[in-house]
Amino acid sequence: MPDTNATSREELQTVRDLIRYGVSRLNGAQVSLGHGSDNAWDEAVYLTLHALHLPLDTLDPFLDARVVREERERVLDLLDRRVTERVPAAYLTNEAWLRGHRFYVDKRVIVPRSPIAELLDQGLSPWVQDALAVENVLDMCTGSGCLAILSALAFPYAHVDAVDVSADALEVARRNVDDYGLSDRLDLHASNLFDNLPAREYDVIVCNPPYVNSGSMRALPQEYLHEPQLALAGGDDGMDLVRRILDAAPRYLSENGVLVLEIGHERDFFEAAFPQLSPVWLDTEEASDQLLLLTREQLSL
């Protein structure tokens, strides 16, 4: 009998055909999104353009372009793996895009997606009044180094320290730091939070720590299980590392320094754990009640 699946795939002749097929395949398989895309269309477009080596921001001129067999198979192979292995797209392509910046990624780090990146677009204004005056920045739990790099770009005269306890993550971060040519003012530190940091006061600390509570960890979709659990799991209430960070942070903040912390969907647990704190909750286009800002003065009370 003829291979009907192969026959039907031969009918996918244009970029438009492949994208439409990809949307149907992703929707039909009910894949979990959230690692760079929040809908099947964007994910299908990304995987298709990546496989075809086409610019990711220029779709329209290529929609009705015909593909050759080898190109079609590259696209379909990525879509097949995305569906059958439930692997985030970023791990299939070894790249993640955050606020228009490309970062190398693999399974040694979580996929960059922190909404802190959006705040860094504006140099944390108005909470940081002069981005050019910022001298020292710390990115705690740096992972791929994406927030450290975006911090270096947002505060062009600052020295940036980036910290992670994972040697594997720091290898990925080193690659990204080198790709951006920032090794002269961005240092990577292997440290369990603040333990091995140099004596320095920071004007800005940004931190996307492990904060997923144990109940949510047990319910994670398959895609998230491909990520390092060390970078996700935050204990029973998600606040295990947050407690240590908030306890130590005042000793590392400058007089007018600020801490920007991501806690995901754990606001209730945060407020139960720290009823004495009144942070500023920072909303972005993509996130509400997931980011907070605290000053040195607040943390020192």
Side-chain angles (χ1 to χ4, degrees), residues 245-263:
I245 291 165
L246 297 190
D247 178 65
R251 299 191 294 276
Y252 291 86
L253 283 167
S254 62
E255 183 178 358
N256 297 311
V258 295
L259 165 68
V260 177
L261 179 71
E262 177 176 346
I263 58 162

Side-chain angles (χ1 to χ4, degrees), residues 75-294:
V75 174
L76 295 177
D77 178 64
L78 274 182
L79 289 169
D80 286 344
R81 291 191 62 197
R82 178 69 182 88
V83 167
T84 59
E85 299 176 24
R86 300 285 168 157
V87 179
Y91 291 154
L92 298 175
T93 63
N94 288 126
E95 69 175 19
W97 290 83
L98 191 59
R99 308 302 295 175
H101 296 275
R102 180 189 181 277
F103 299 98
Y104 172 85
V105 294
D106 59 36
K107 291 185 179 181
R108 292 175 290 178
V109 295
I110 62 171
V111 177
R113 54 186 178 272
S114 173
I116 292 175
E118 183 179 334
L119 301 178
L120 290 171
D121 281 351
Q122 304 299 322
L124 296 181
S125 177
W127 303 281
V128 173
Q129 294 185 358
D130 184 0
L132 300 181
V134 172
E135 296 182 356
N136 292 295
V137 177
L138 172 64
D139 175 26
M140 181 62 68
C141 306
T142 194
S144 65
C146 59
L147 291 182
I149 290 168
L150 294 180
S151 295
L153 299 178
F155 307 112
Y157 296 108
H159 173 87
V160 179
D161 286 320
V163 176
D164 209 288
V165 71
S166 167
D168 284 342
L170 289 171
E171 288 182 4
V172 175
R174 168 54 59 198
R175 176 168 178 167
N176 285 316
V177 170
D178 290 345
D179 284 348
Y180 277 85
L182 289 169
S183 58
D184 60 331
R185 61 186 187 92
L186 199 167
D187 291 334
L188 300 173
H189 301 272
S191 177
N192 187 347
L193 299 182
F194 296 91
D195 289 354
N196 297 326
L197 271 182
R200 186 171 285 141
E201 289 189 344
Y202 296 97
D203 304 305
V204 174
I205 299 177
V206 296
C207 182
N208 176 20
Y211 54 68
V212 182
N213 69 73
S214 57
S216 295
M217 284 295 298
R218 290 190 292 270
L220 285 176
Q222 291 183 46
E223 280 83 351
Y224 292 84
L225 301 181
H226 290 277
E227 297 187 289
Q229 302 304 285
L230 177 68
L232 296 174
D236 286 347
D237 64 353
M239 296 294 113
D240 282 4
L241 266 72
V242 173
R243 289 183 176 89
R244 294 173 56 195
I245 291 165
L246 297 190
D247 178 65
R251 299 191 294 276
Y252 291 86
L253 283 167
S254 62
E255 183 178 358
N256 297 311
V258 295
L259 165 68
V260 177
L261 179 71
E262 177 176 346
I263 58 162
H265 300 290
E266 309 290 350
R267 178 168 178 170
D268 288 345
F269 281 119
F270 178 89
E271 292 180 333
F274 307 102
Q276 76 281 10
L277 293 178
S278 299
V280 176
W281 291 92
L282 309 174
D283 288 343
T284 70
E285 292 180 2
E286 300 177 355
S288 178
D289 290 344
Q290 297 183 33
L291 305 175
L292 59 93
L293 180 143
L294 288 159

